[in-house]
Amino acid sequence: MKSHKQFGAGVSVGGATGLLTLNAEINLDPAEALVIGLGAGTGYGTFGLGWKHNYEANYFSPYTKVSYSKWFNSSTSSGSAADSDILKRIFSDNELRSGKFDADFIVGGAGVEYNQLEGDLAGVNIYGEVMMMAELRKSTFIPSGAIGVIYYY
């Protein structure tokens, strides 16, 4: 499928780019893809850029991913980002209440995806992944996970 459909767009919940993320994937070949994400949560915004390697199979396909992710304040109301478990592991309550924060992550992860190869829903991809997020300035490691869906064009 990925040799015929090079572009995918979708959404995910959780993971390296926040609570809710809009994702795009550009398949350079069936095994290699560029991944871009724009996400958000309560009081913060995120973006991410990464590389994904698929171990191609038919319907179920495992993959690994490495990426960079940036989380930053996106709200004028102080303290609204304190609902994020990931941000609470990096910043103090005072830092989150001040509303002036940003975090840079290097992320490594692995996942499995289901590819619908035929029928009316051909091109749909449902996935789940686990990852380790390493915050660069504070040397903090945070495990995370995500689920999502992408449609390939």
Side-chain angles (χ1 to χ4, degrees), residues 5-18:
K5 297 184 177 194
Q6 278 79 34
F7 181 77
V11 297
S12 66
V13 177
T17 47

Side-chain angles (χ1 to χ4, degrees), residues 31-71:
E32 307 297 333
L34 178 65
V35 180
I36 303 164
L38 295 172
T42 304
Y44 65 92
T46 66
F47 68 86
L49 181 63
W51 192 262
K52 180 178 170 184
H53 176 78
N54 277 79
Y55 301 94
E56 192 68 33
N58 284 328
Y59 288 94
F60 285 96
S61 178
Y63 64 88
T64 54
K65 189 187 285 187
V66 63
S67 61
Y68 166 80
S69 179
K70 181 160 190 81
W71 294 44

Side-chain angles (χ1 to χ4, degrees), residues 17 26 79 101 105 118 123 136 151:
T17 47
I26 301 165
F101 61 85
F105 295 97
E118 55 197 15
L136 296 176
Y151 182 77

Side-chain angles (χ1 to χ4, degrees), residues 23-126:
N23 294 314
E25 194 168 303
I26 301 165
N27 295 312
L28 304 174
D29 68 40
E32 307 297 333
L34 178 65
V35 180
I36 303 164
L38 295 172
T42 304
Y44 65 92
T46 66
F47 68 86
L49 181 63
W51 192 262
K52 180 178 170 184
H53 176 78
N54 277 79
Y55 301 94
E56 192 68 33
N58 284 328
Y59 288 94
F60 285 96
S61 178
Y63 64 88
T64 54
K65 189 187 285 187
V66 63
S67 61
Y68 166 80
S69 179
K70 181 160 190 81
W71 294 44
F72 53 89
N73 178 34
S74 69
S75 175
T76 56
S77 63
S78 62
S80 60
D83 293 337
S84 168
D85 289 332
I86 290 175
L87 290 173
K88 283 195 281 189
R89 292 181 182 203
I90 300 168
F91 300 108
S92 69
D93 289 335
N94 289 337
E95 289 172 311
L96 291 174
R97 273 196 297 275
S98 75
K100 296 180 182 175
F101 61 85
D102 69 293
D104 296 293
F105 295 97
I106 296 296
V107 183
V112 65
E113 58 189 21
Y114 170 77
N115 299 298
Q116 182 61 38
L117 301 176
E118 55 197 15
D120 292 338
L121 295 176
V124 172
N125 171 294
I126 300 170

